[in-house]
Amino acid sequence: GNSVTQMEGPVTLSEEAFLTINCTYTATGYPSLFWYVQYPGEGLQLLLKATKADDKGSNKGFEATYRKETTSFHLEKGSVQVSDSAVYFCALSDQDNQGGKLIFGQGTELSVKP
Amino acid sequence: DTEVTQTPKHLVMGMTNKKSLKCEQHMGHRAMYWYKQKAKKPPELMFVYSYEKLSINESVPSRFSPECPNSSLLNLHLHALQPEDSALYLCASSQAERGRWNTEAFFGQGTRLTVV
């Protein structure tokens, strides 16, 4: 079956540090891959997406590249800000997955200190 | 506009109460979802509606009853809940449909439900 594995948190960084959150996946079909962010007390926001191998999703300084050979979709940002403190979820949706169900990783909590 | 609107934002209910959660989207999406999220956990799928018909029920207890009155609205009726049902309930919508299941979903802000 389909699954997503994320690095465990919490991750604590100083402002302007480089961020990497690892995400690997298992899928039987041709999944699209997503990163969602959840700020405290809020719902999930789509941060970026990639729909096929070698696609790079980017938004708000965050990037992730769909690597089919390593089944990975790692999230990166060159310089984090305090306002990036949130929980980040990697997710996939498979072409064969009727209903468009999202499969989520466990989430990684990021805390950025000034 | 990628907005999904949920009401109420917070809800406290007793175990004998009946209440409803509401969700609205105007993006023309034909798939709508209810997810349940416990603290520090990923969302768990409860129900999927596709073209206003229930297509997936993830073995959710009958005290949760979904309803899709039209293509823009989704309700979740609650009755005789237990304290362990306290959670954040998220509504989402997407363009997912037959032949195009692997699309992104857009989430509302959620309803924080407390059962006392």
Side-chain angles (χ1 to χ4, degrees):
Chain A
N2 298 338
S3 66
V4 175
T5 302
Q6 282 181 243
M7 62 185 285
E8 290 191 18
V11 173
T12 302
L13 296 174
S14 297
E15 206 165 22
E16 299 183 4
F18 185 86
L19 169 71
T20 299
I21 300 178
N22 290 337
C23 171
T24 57
Y25 69 90
T26 302
T28 54
Y30 302 92
S32 292
L33 301 174
F34 312 99
W35 277 101
Y36 283 88
V37 58
Q38 186 172 32
Y39 298 101
E42 298 188 8
L44 274 70
Q45 297 179 25
L46 178 66
L47 182 59
L48 53 84
K49 68 176 183 180
T51 57
K52 61 183 187 295
D54 300 325
D55 268 1
K56 177 185 283 188
S58 61
N59 186 26
K60 299 181 181 179
F62 291 90
E63 293 183 340
T65 300
Y66 189 141
R67 301 284 188 201
K68 193 173 176 66
E69 63 275 15
T70 55
T71 62
S72 65
F73 193 54
H74 305 320
L75 183 68
E76 297 182 336
K77 187 176 185 182
S79 176
V80 294
Q81 306 299 311
V82 172
S83 57
D84 294 325
S85 298
V87 180
Y88 292 81
F89 291 98
C90 185
L92 72 80
S93 183
D94 197 315
Q95 179 68 21
D96 298 327
N97 191 6
Q98 189 170 359
K101 176 180 178 178
L102 284 168
I103 308 297
F104 287 96
Q106 287 302 303
T108 302
E109 184 177 7
L110 171 66
S111 178
V112 181
K113 305 297 185 184
Chain B
D1 181 9
T2 58
E3 188 170 322
V4 176
T5 304
Q6 289 188 243
T7 55
K9 193 170 175 62
H10 300 277
L11 179 62
V12 179
M13 61 183 293
M15 290 187 283
T16 58
N17 290 159
K18 288 184 180 181
K19 296 288 184 182
S20 296
L21 310 184
K22 297 185 183 300
C23 174
E24 187 169 8
Q25 58 90 13
H26 295 288
M27 294 178 277
H29 291 168
R30 304 316 295 262
M32 296 187 75
Y33 310 81
W34 282 114
Y35 284 84
K36 174 183 178 180
Q37 186 182 26
K38 290 284 207 177
K40 298 190 182 296
K41 296 292 186 182
E44 298 175 1
L45 184 66
M46 301 175 70
F47 303 103
V48 179
Y49 273 82
S50 180
Y51 286 87
E52 301 165 46
K53 293 185 179 178
L54 183 64
S55 62
I56 295 177
N57 176 343
E58 293 282 306
S59 303
V60 179
S62 60
R63 58 185 184 269
F64 295 91
S65 175
E67 177 195 21
C68 189
N70 60 53
S71 60
S72 300
L73 295 174
L74 187 66
N75 299 323
L76 186 63
H77 303 298
L78 313 173
H79 173 56
L81 295 191
Q82 303 298 309
E84 58 265 30
D85 296 321
S86 298
L88 182 68
Y89 287 84
L90 294 163
C91 175
S93 71
S94 82
Q95 294 178 319
E97 59 185 353
R98 185 186 298 275
R100 191 183 175 185
W101 295 123
N102 55 342
T103 66
E104 66 271 31
F106 296 92
F107 286 81
Q109 292 294 295
T111 294
R112 177 76 59 187
L113 174 67
T114 303
V115 181
V116 298

